[in-house]
Amino acid sequence: MAEGRSNSGAPPELLAGFDAGQTHTTCRLAAVQPGRSWRVLAEGQGPGVSHLEAAGGEERFSHALRASLQAALSGAGLAGAPLLAAAGAPLLAAAGVGASGIEHGSAVQQRGQALAAAALQLPAEHVLVTGDERTALRGAFAADGPAGAGIVVISGTGCIALGRDGRGREHRCGGWGWLLDQAGSACDLGRDALALSLEMADGRRPDNDLRPALWQALAGESGVVTAQQVKAMVVAPGFGAAGFARLAPCVEALAAAGDADALAVLQRSAGALAALVRGVAAALDLEQPRVCGQGGALCHLPTFAAAYRQALAAGLPGATVVEATGDACAGALSLAAERLATEQLAGR
């Protein structure tokens, strides 16, 4: 479904598409238009989410949806509008949510569905919650319709690759969480470089500019840190994957300036990210797949992105790197629109 404009003077039905990552959540608000199209009204930002099983995970998920929606409503000139009108009708007609940590077809997905319906005050059948990799895939190849073939690889705080062939088969690689999966994310860059800095601190490898630069980035305005303080900081509540990911720009800057240790971290992580794509291509028998890279690490860390493209070309020479037709929010809006159309056909 594409964006469009309406010539109708009637108040439009509203759709919300959410891209809920570990660092932040984006809500894109759109008005339904004639001909099964929509017109984007505004976007809003909110905090990130964590796995629903994590401590406070359900509360973070619900808060991220509400906060980002309210920010989008404000941007659309609807600040303070209640989610339920006086007559009890929901402000939104439908919502699609792509969220980090939501496994397709799992009990966690069902919990996310119920939480989103409650947070957005929508009937459960008007909400679809799925993994953010699925909304990214839907958005990336939107021009080809729901069955568009290709592979999307996301490298942000975490990383994952998901592909679909021309018959609608899908396969995913990675995305198993930062404690288990080291495959090419901003979290990996920060964690692996910080581990090297501690080896420098205790004499296992020669000290260089990487250690003080990383430690200063970790300390921020609090001042110089010691190795013991580093150890304490990374296990503090709330640090987690996002805390390591915040160090990735520092690793990128060091690598771009020629630091051999930082460059080795980037290249190793980039190779692991390319391996995710190769795994998906092999599972789906895609010899010449279109591959779309997304996420903050690929978009904002050019040295890392270049290393990834080099690794992909070497390991999967038939791949073609393409730009996305739309992003994950566009994919989420598409799912919301489909959910609304299904319910309208059912007369609910």
Side-chain angles (χ1 to χ4, degrees), residues 251-253 255-257 262-263 266-267 270 297 300-309:
V251 182
E252 163 77 19
L263 186 59
L266 254 67
Q267 290 174 333
H300 303 303
L301 305 178
T303 307
F304 173 70
Y308 154 73
R309 290 192 296 270

Side-chain angles (χ1 to χ4, degrees), residues 104-330:
H104 184 67
S106 68
V108 171
Q109 184 182 30
Q110 295 176 4
R111 286 169 59 192
Q113 191 90 4
L115 288 167
L120 303 175
Q121 298 191 31
L122 275 171
E125 60 269 19
H126 285 240
V127 181
L128 180 62
V129 177
T130 189
D132 55 359
E133 74 280 1
R134 295 183 182 275
T135 50
L137 180 66
R138 171 66 69 94
F141 301 103
D144 301 324
I151 300 173
V152 64
V153 58
I154 306 169
S155 177
T157 302
C159 58
I160 192 169
L162 177 70
R164 181 174 54 221
D165 67 10
R167 292 179 290 168
R169 292 188 305 157
E170 292 187 352
H171 185 77
R172 154 273 190 89
C173 280
W176 303 118
W178 67 280
L179 289 173
L180 296 174
D181 204 353
Q182 300 183 35
S185 68
C187 170
D188 299 329
L189 296 178
R191 182 195 58 233
D192 293 352
L194 197 59
L196 290 185
S197 78
L198 291 172
E199 292 182 15
M200 294 174 184
D202 66 16
R204 278 180 282 174
R205 66 173 55 234
D207 201 2
N208 63 25
D209 292 342
L210 181 144
R211 182 189 57 77
L214 275 179
W215 287 16
Q216 184 58 51
L218 185 66
E221 296 181 357
S222 65
V224 179
V225 297
T226 65
Q228 289 73 22
Q229 288 172 322
V230 170
K231 178 181 177 181
M233 290 174 75
V234 300
V235 297
F239 188 86
F244 287 116
R246 285 192 290 270
L247 298 175
C250 180
V251 182
E252 163 77 19
L254 288 164
D259 184 279
D261 289 310
L263 186 59
V265 169
L266 254 67
Q267 290 174 333
R268 183 169 60 248
S269 190
L273 189 65
L276 296 183
V277 180
R278 294 200 307 272
V280 172
L284 295 177
D285 298 317
L286 298 174
E287 296 182 356
Q288 296 179 316
R290 294 178 299 162
V291 181
C292 178
Q294 297 185 11
L298 287 176
C299 293
H300 303 303
L301 305 178
T303 307
F304 173 70
Y308 154 73
R309 290 192 296 270
Q310 184 177 16
L312 182 65
L316 192 61
T320 300
V321 176
V322 299
E323 295 295 324
T325 301
D327 59 12
C329 276

